[in-house]
Amino acid sequence: MTVRLLILGTGGMANNHAEGFARIDGVELVAGVDTRPAQLAAFCDKHSIAHRFASVAEAIAWGQFDAVTNVTPDAAHFATTTPMLAAGKHVLCEKPLATNAADAEAMVIAAQTAGVVNMVNLTYRNGAALQKAAAMVAEGAIGKIRHFEASYLQSWLTQPAWGEWRDEPQWLWRLSSAHGSKGVLGDVGIHILDFASFIAGEPAVDVSARLATFDKVPEGRIGEYTLDANDSATMQIRLEGGALGVVHATRFATGHMNDLRLRLFGDTGGLEVSFENSVSRLRACTGADRLTATWHEVECPETPSVYERFIAAIRGEAPALPDFARGAALQRLLDRAEESAQRGGLVLPV
């Protein structure tokens, strides 16, 4: 079954999508959409994409595609995805699904009504250690979960390894709420919340959060960008089974480029899951090893990429996970965390 794919948005992350889908047999990159003509042309030329459109409406009028991968900025996800769903197109949407829970839930309903494959790109679901850890928890390897610690650490506000944030729009928009950013909470907080709760196999039932925005430049503004989005986030979370945990994320973690870690403790064992220096790793302390606090490495089989899973779901070969419903559930948690921070860290139900 050939799948004709349209790429919506042609920023930096779109290159990853184009390359990932191009490696899959039977997938044709047939069109690109972007409001910026020069960038659209350069992107489509680079990836040998024949058809180029300046708007979603133009692409839908043409219609010669089966599926969409939406790589637009966060604030555009709702407005650009819903017409595609109404047109009966399968959609993979970058995270977060939307910038508020109401829009995310409307997208869930629209996808269900259309009866199409709908998935959200939570990148770290591709990690072998994450998938193996979730399976171990589901099998009862660590018993009932009692406590957890999770962190997502970046440092691009302290060094220019990924580019100079003061000069590049791809970083500046992430610091500005007027440009649709929800700060570190929405940008990477969603990843670590999914990382922790997916492995635990339990949803969060309440949250208390604090957010911080630090002075980075005089008067807090660079050109059109007001730098008011949060830079660091801390959360206390209670899971459905009663376990308590702490989750934190920041762009000021000097010494960490892009590192995630989860320590999950049950009444019969513990797991440590990490994605650090681009390496996925799982360690466990279970069984008799608990008596000596001995940890061992766990072998983790390779897992298919989100691009492979999306195409497999369209072909009816695999479930469409994580789906829009998962994206909406995470957005509800993010919205409540943001509200909690606005109310001084008040514990709020999710």
Side-chain angles (χ1 to χ4, degrees):
M1 175 185 175
T2 298
V3 177
R4 300 167 299 171
L5 185 76
L6 177 144
I7 299 180
L8 178 53
T10 61
M13 187 63 182
N15 289 293
N16 293 353
H17 284 239
E19 292 163 5
F21 281 114
R23 287 192 288 266
I24 303 172
D25 290 342
V27 175
E28 296 180 6
L29 306 183
V30 297
V33 178
D34 204 301
T35 58
R36 300 162 295 180
Q39 181 152 332
L40 175 63
F43 177 83
C44 290
D45 288 347
K46 177 180 179 179
H47 297 288
S48 301
I49 298 172
H51 300 279
R52 298 106 190 261
F53 302 99
S55 70
V56 169
E58 287 179 22
I60 290 174
W62 173 64
Q64 301 303 302
F65 59 101
D66 308 300
V68 178
T69 186
N70 189 340
V71 207
T72 57
D74 300 357
H77 290 175
F78 175 76
T80 54
T81 295
T82 47
M84 291 296 186
L85 296 172
K89 307 302 181 182
H90 307 293
V91 179
L92 169 66
C93 185
E94 266 297 331
K95 63 77 196 169
L97 186 59
T99 54
N100 62 75
D103 284 351
E105 288 161 0
M107 292 166 75
V108 173
I109 293 170
Q112 292 172 342
T113 301
V116 296
V117 170
N118 56 95
M119 292 176 60
V120 61
N121 185 20
L122 296 165
T123 315
Y124 299 99
R125 289 288 187 100
N126 301 335
L130 177 143
Q131 295 292 342
K132 178 64 176 179
M136 290 179 67
V137 171
E139 293 163 0
I142 64 170
K144 295 179 180 179
I145 298 169
R146 296 304 189 212
H147 188 81
F148 66 97
E149 305 169 358
S151 62
Y152 193 140
L153 306 178
Q154 291 183 332
S155 59
W156 56 265
L157 283 175
T158 71
Q159 46 73 25
W162 295 349
E164 180 49 68
W165 67 265
R166 293 173 179 82
D167 302 325
E168 299 184 17
Q170 66 170 322
W171 305 120
L172 284 169
W173 83 262
R174 298 173 190 274
L175 305 175
S176 172
S177 62
H179 288 75
S181 177
K182 290 285 189 175
V184 73
L185 177 67
D187 191 18
V188 304
I190 190 170
H191 281 307
I192 195 61
L193 289 169
D194 181 65
F195 199 87
S197 58
F198 172 69
I199 293 173
E202 297 179 15
V205 295
D206 61 42
V207 60
S208 167
R210 300 297 297 269
L211 304 176
T213 304
F214 299 102
D215 292 334
K216 294 174 282 295
V217 294
E219 299 181 3
R221 187 179 184 90
I222 295 178
E224 64 179 285
Y225 300 95
T226 299
L227 311 185
D228 60 345
N230 58 83
D231 302 310
S232 289
T234 62
M235 289 167 272
Q236 293 191 78
I237 288 173
R238 183 166 59 93
L239 298 180
E240 187 175 62
L244 297 180
V246 292
V247 178
H248 62 101
T250 184
R251 293 170 174 150
F252 278 99
T254 301
H256 293 270
M257 291 293 187
N258 191 63
D259 296 341
L260 294 82
R261 176 176 289 188
L262 169 69
R263 302 174 71 194
L264 190 64
F265 305 106
D267 56 6
T268 63
L271 297 177
E272 290 188 352
V273 193
S274 63
F275 182 86
E276 298 180 343
N277 298 317
S278 298
V279 176
S280 178
R281 184 184 182 199
L282 173 60
R283 299 172 68 236
C285 177
T286 56
D289 285 341
R290 290 180 295 149
L291 303 178
T292 55
T294 300
W295 292 78
H296 62 274
E297 297 282 339
V298 178
E299 186 175 348
C300 303
E302 294 270 331
T303 59
S305 71
V306 67
Y307 313 118
E308 293 169 316
R309 299 198 311 275
F310 181 55
I311 298 303
I314 292 172
R315 291 171 172 163
E317 300 168 351
L321 297 173
D323 59 9
F324 279 15
R326 175 60 173 175
L330 289 168
Q331 192 59 50
R332 286 192 294 273
L333 176 54
L334 289 171
D335 282 9
R336 296 302 267 172
E338 188 174 40
E339 181 184 352
S340 169
Q342 292 168 350
R343 300 174 66 179
L346 184 69
V347 176
L348 296 176
V350 176

